[in-house]
Amino acid sequence: LDDAEIGYQELIRRVKESGEPLALYGDFLVKEKNDPAAAIEQYRQALIWSPDDSVTRSKLAAIFLRRGVEYLNQQQYASAEAQFNQAAKYIPDRDSAQGRLLAEHQAKLREIRVR
């Protein structure tokens, strides 16, 4: 894994002004290194070069949604809300699967607050 990580970092260094190597490195960080926080930074950097990249935006939203659900399950509601708010920034279509999932979890938080 260390060699692969060095390879991704070298690719980023060589291929400047492109979001693709950054997104690929983000994928590696999520899947192989299990480091979503580091992946978020890579995906955000990728969006600087390709702000309309819906695939990268969806990956960011997925990470924030997953983290929000984890916080919700741990009854850490303020943290869950913060993660869902971050996810919302990367979900342009509220009728998409991610948009509906986000709305569902935000509704759960509102229910909890009313109790």
Side-chain angles (χ1 to χ4, degrees):
L1 286 180
D2 291 339
D3 290 341
E5 186 165 17
I6 291 168
Y8 282 110
Q9 291 170 351
E10 180 64 21
L11 180 63
I12 291 168
R13 190 181 68 71
R14 289 184 184 196
V15 182
K16 298 189 184 307
E17 299 184 18
S18 173
E20 186 175 353
L22 295 159
L24 291 172
Y25 185 34
D27 294 344
F28 169 77
L29 290 168
V30 167
K31 295 174 186 168
E32 303 300 328
K33 298 286 277 194
N34 196 25
D35 189 353
I40 287 169
E41 294 309 312
Q42 296 304 311
Y43 290 144
R44 284 180 170 164
Q45 288 293 318
L47 287 177
I48 290 171
W49 296 107
S50 305
D52 297 327
D53 181 355
S54 62
V55 173
T56 300
R57 295 177 75 77
S58 177
K59 290 174 185 178
L60 271 166
I63 290 171
F64 286 118
L65 283 169
R66 192 168 33 255
R67 288 167 51 162
V69 169
E70 289 170 5
Y71 283 126
L72 188 63
N73 291 338
Q74 296 168 7
Q75 298 180 348
Q76 296 179 16
Y77 304 124
S79 296
E81 182 178 28
Q83 295 300 302
F84 294 145
N85 289 341
Q86 287 296 312
K89 294 177 184 179
Y90 300 104
I91 302 173
D93 182 5
R94 299 296 179 214
D95 292 327
S96 68
Q98 282 185 328
R100 289 190 302 273
L101 185 62
L102 174 64
E104 177 185 319
H105 291 304
Q106 287 175 323
K108 284 180 188 177
L109 277 176
R110 281 191 297 275
E111 274 182 39
I112 290 167
R113 288 203 174 108
V114 172
R115 292 184 204 169

